[in-house]
Amino acid sequence: MSRAKPNSDPLIQQLRSVLPDSCIVSDPASMKPYECDGLSGYRQMPRVVVLPTTVEQVQAVMKACQASKTPVVPRGAGTSLSGGAMPHKNGVVLSVNRLNRILDIDGQNRCATLQPGVRNLQISDAVEHLGLYYAPDPSSQIACTIGGNVAENAGGVHCLKYGLTVHNILQVKIVTLNGDLVTLGSTAPDSPGNDLLALMMGSEGMLGIVVEVVVRLLPRPPLARVLMAAFDDIEKAGNAVANVIASGVIPAGFEMMDRAAITAAEDFVRAGYPADAEAILLCEVDGTEQEVNAQLDRVKALLDKAGATQISLAKDENERILFWSGRKNAFPAVGRISPDYYCMDGTIPRKEIGNVLTRISAMADKYGLGVANVFHAGDGNLHPLILYDANKPGDFVKAEEFGGEILDLCVAVGGTITGEHGVGVEKIDRMCVQFDEATLAQFLAVREAFDPDGLLNPDKAVPTLARCAEFNAMHVHHGKLPHPELERF
Amino acid sequence: MEIHLDKSIASQDWAKEAEAIVRKCVHCGFCNATCPTYQQLGHESEGPRGRIYLITQLLEGHPADRQTRDHLDRCLLCRACETTCPSGVPYSRLLETGRLMLEEQQPRSGLDRLKRKAMTAVIPSTGLMRAGVGIAKPLRPLLPKKLATQLPLPDKDLTRPGSLHKRRMLLLEGCAQSSLTPETNAAAARVLDRLGISLIPEASGGCCGAVRLHTSDRERGLQDIRNRIDTWWPAIENGIEAIISTASGCGVTVKDYAHLMQNDPEYADKAERISALTLDLAELIAAETAESTPKSELAQDLRVAFHSPCTLQHGQKIVGVIEALLERYGYSLVPVGDAHLCCGSAGTYAVLQPVLSGQLKADKLAQLQLSSPDLIATANVGCQLHLRKDADVPVLHWIELLDRSKG
Ligand SMILES: Cc1cc2nc3c(=O)[nH]c(=O)nc-3n(C[C@H](O)[C@H](O)[C@H](O)COP(=O)(O)OP(=O)(O)OC[C@H]3O[C@@H](n4cnc5c(N)ncnc54)[C@H](O)[C@@H]3O)c2cc1C
Ligand code: SF4
Ligand code: SF4
């Protein structure tokens, strides 16, 4: 890495004065794999990649970038599905992967202090012996970093009961564009002043570099059990979800997979998912034995009434983990049935699940593309995976159009265009559908307060008003809004 | 992922196979999480997802530079990424293709070439290895600790049973193992003798091909395989029941003969037969001993840390089998963290990438010795010798433990 040829780029020369050579990647071959994140359809080579090993180095890089008006794109594990970590062509990619130490575990106060490159799953592994865990568990938890989780306000299977990243973070330290190290939030129950901590959640690298995170740890529930219910019809499964939630039970996790997703996940994990079901639901309840049993009875009755063809309870902890493992590996396992997939991320009111899934399936026929659904049903957070073939010219464009139509439908039924994967480059235009001008102007004002020069992850997450004007002109076909038959919220 | 093969290679079988592998990858990055080099270096180009990306560039005909080779060279071929990959990407096959393409595109520098040549000459040649060990033996007490630990201990029991049972299997002697840890195969022969199985030694020694294949010396590696097949064939025609490997690094290669020789009209069928007959010693013993095996008293007080070699857990997907056997015989196992990670031995890696290899070894030993075990057991000669150099406790092949407990 350190043997890059002498480079005439003044920025790189300047970076060399503040970073050891081993922390600078500037040769084209070594930079190539940085050109995209988990959304590999969007690619851009960076100008240079830096891999700092200390917070001081991060500060020095930021100062150098501000002085030279160079864009900075933060990067964690690069698992973003919205192109959030895609480089800027004139910019630096600042990767935090070498800041990967667990700095402190405080069992008594149930919190842990982490560098941003610590992987999500690593946290729970490290505190297991204390009977504690970190609740938000994105499916990518084996790989994604806590810094990336903060930046995307990541959610996961267990967020239905225990909240998203935002509900489980006590404090973060960020390095601002001018190189200052700022602490937001505190380990005390409340801190004076405005809640700037919440502003960092889902900020997608636009407000500063997260360099330290204090997470809240929870005690492992005394008992957790998961039910698997099979359905011969996807709408019935969707309605079952709405009924369970409406009954007042709050499952620890409540997930749905359709037939395509079941086939792919089963091929990898062999969890024992029924191959002939049109959909399965995984519903976990936790608490004391008494609570768990009472909830299981209620959920079982409701699922039964909704028309489940088969209900089985994971017989032990191993099987429980296996049931979840299939779900958590389901996205990439879809690589077994399709060369590429495009993962959408919209939310809808739970009562619309059945309706929306049926309409997505009709759209799939229209576009001539497959679709697999695996998602956080309890939150109404959809993840249709549009199956396409990147080698076929035009296929990705078709997938994007299909995806756009799904998001429009989400908004039209009263939902949003992102549940947890962020906006990134991918959904920036859809922001114009979701928000009006005044709201977007507020977003831009926040951004400007932290970054007046627009250097932090530019052209992502929040569109300029000019961009929206252009998009809306194109998007409103023949003067009609998409799905005019539906009421607007 | 998207890939468009360069026209000049588009019709070749190997290129089509590589293309299919790239297409299977969905770029999720899960594999980086369990990759030892990514963990050490924190660099996208030093993880499986990045390496797949770099090889895709080669396959698309983009010019490679020296850095591409460095990134591919640093891969241990431990295959932890394959275990993790939900999409089922057979990464190691792609990496070998990438390395071969580079080998053709850019000749290596003098010193690099020399090191590789020396190793591919010495390790696979049983005679040379033995000669080297033979010369060094009388000097043993004077040798520095590092070298002395690599030579067989004098008190090792090398006797093999004389009886011939009806059930007979061919034993892979292994090129490094037969010289450096001959006690392993002797112990295996005694344990199996007690189970009513005779191990027939190979007619003549030699490498299974692994060493040359992993240093991108493909043609000579394939020749090693043909030689082995010719050597074993009479025994196979004579009706041996199975081929037994006591070194997981050899076993994984022999199990892959069917794939490696598939385009060789003369050897393809024989190779397929051989791969199907090959078993790791652990698979055999697990099948031959009952759950109810009486626990050995000798074992009672010994706390063992088991190091599962990558070629066993990721290559052959044999997980938890030896651990269960050791417990069945009465040994108690200590918990070992990060058990999926490579120890840094990885065939010739320890010589070619000494710095990274040393870091991985230190990390591995820290995990293995965390609960102060009495000894470390493993299942591959390469890992055994590599760890032995710096371990505070003896490092044995697990079969020696079963042999000692006389089960
Ligand atoms: C198979 C798969 C399944 C997934 N499942 C889920 C899921 O269930 N729930 C969910 O919420 N997400 C999921 N994701 C999306 C993704 O894993 C999350 O968004 C995750 O939080 C990204 O973390 P990362 O470390 O990979 O960040 P990256 O992808 O590297 O970056 C993501 C964004 O965060 C910014 N960023 C990263 N680190 C920092 C930092 N230290 N400071 C400031 N900004 C930073 C980047 O600029 C970028 O905008 C999934 C992804 C995949 C591939
Ligand atoms: S084989 Fe091992 S070292 Fe190589 S990329 Fe896979 S996990 Fe990393
Ligand atoms: S885990 Fe598999 S599909 Fe995902 S990036 Fe790695 S090789 Fe590709």
Side-chain angles (χ1 to χ4, degrees), chain B residues 25-31 49 52 85-87 89:
Chain B
C25 171
V26 295
H27 211 68
C28 67
F30 282 21
C31 50
R49 181 172 68 167
I52 292 171
C85 173
S87 188
V89 173

Side-chain angles (χ1 to χ4, degrees), chain B residues 149-334:
Chain B
T149 50
Q150 294 238 18
L151 299 177
L153 300 171
D155 58 351
K156 295 284 176 180
D157 184 357
L158 300 183
T159 55
R160 298 201 185 191
S163 54
L164 197 61
H165 300 283
K166 226 162 106 195
R167 297 185 67 189
R168 281 166 300 133
M169 300 182 184
L170 183 72
L171 173 69
L172 300 186
E173 295 288 348
C175 49
Q177 180 164 282
S178 57
S179 312
L180 298 178
T181 56
E183 63 277 13
T184 297
N185 281 338
R190 290 190 299 267
V191 172
L192 289 179
D193 180 54
R194 294 196 283 276
L195 294 169
I197 297 169
S198 291
L199 286 179
I200 311 295
E202 292 173 76
S204 66
C207 178
C208 62
V211 174
R212 290 199 172 99
L213 288 174
H214 290 169
T215 40
S216 302
D217 192 354
R218 191 173 170 88
E219 276 322 308
R220 293 206 300 156
L222 294 180
Q223 191 49 47
D224 282 340
I225 295 180
R226 290 187 202 100
N227 292 343
R228 289 294 84 202
I229 295 180
D230 289 341
T231 310
W232 300 337
W233 202 248
I236 292 165
E237 289 196 310
N238 252 327
I240 48 130
E241 200 180 316
I243 300 173
I244 302 303
S245 158
T246 55
S248 58
C250 307
V252 75
T253 307
V254 180
K255 284 182 176 181
D256 204 31
Y257 276 13
H259 177 261
L260 288 164
M261 303 306 282
Q262 66 187 2
N263 296 324
D264 183 324
E266 207 186 323
Y267 282 86
D269 291 345
K270 288 181 178 176
E272 202 180 319
R273 175 90 189 281
I274 285 176
S275 289
L277 279 174
T278 304
L279 288 178
D280 186 87
L281 182 65
E283 294 174 283
L284 174 66
I285 296 192
E288 296 291 332
T289 55
E291 292 276 354
S292 57
T293 304
K295 295 200 190 311
S296 153
E297 286 198 7
L298 259 165
Q300 294 294 305
D301 306 323
L302 281 179
R303 300 172 72 245
V304 181
F306 182 68
H307 165 58
S308 180
C310 300
T311 43
L312 188 79
Q313 59 170 328
H314 304 304
Q316 301 189 54
K317 305 265 176 272
I318 298 176
V319 178
V321 176
I322 295 173
E323 293 89 325
L325 273 174
L326 288 171
E327 287 187 324
R328 191 182 288 181
Y329 277 76
Y331 293 94
S332 47
L333 293 178
V334 301

Side-chain angles (χ1 to χ4, degrees), chain B residues 34-37 47-48 51 74-81 91:
Chain B
T34 55
C35 170
T37 56
R51 291 185 179 120
R74 283 191 204 103
C75 172
L76 295 142
L77 268 177
C78 70
R79 297 169 68 181
C81 48
Y91 164 87

Side-chain angles (χ1 to χ4, degrees), chain A residues 3 30 35 98 336 389 391, chain B residues 23 41 45 53 70-71 86:
Chain A
R3 285 177 287 160
S30 306
E35 70 178 358
R98 289 182 177 172
R336 291 169 185 258
D389 182 342
N391 267 16
Chain B
R23 311 255 19 228
L41 301 166
S45 297
Y53 214 85
D70 288 346
H71 298 311

Side-chain angles (χ1 to χ4, degrees), chain A residues 1 3 27 29-30 32-35 37 43 75 77-78 97-98 142 268 329 332 335-336 339-340 389 391, chain B residues 1-4 23 27 30 33 38 41 43-45 49 53-54 57 65 67-68 70-71 85-88:
Chain A
M1 265 151 293
R3 285 177 287 160
D27 67 283
S30 306
K32 191 75 181 167
Y34 285 91
E35 70 178 358
D37 55 24
R43 294 186 283 260
R75 179 177 171 111
N97 282 300
R98 289 182 177 172
I142 185 174
F268 176 51
N329 286 295
R336 291 169 185 258
D340 302 276
D389 182 342
N391 267 16
Chain B
M1 276 203 330
E2 187 174 359
I3 173 170
H4 302 281
R23 311 255 19 228
H27 211 68
F30 282 21
Y38 183 81
L41 301 166
H43 183 348
E44 185 73 33
S45 297
R49 181 172 68 167
Y53 214 85
L54 291 171
Q57 302 306 306
D65 49 30
Q67 278 83 8
T68 305
D70 288 346
H71 298 311
C85 173
S87 188

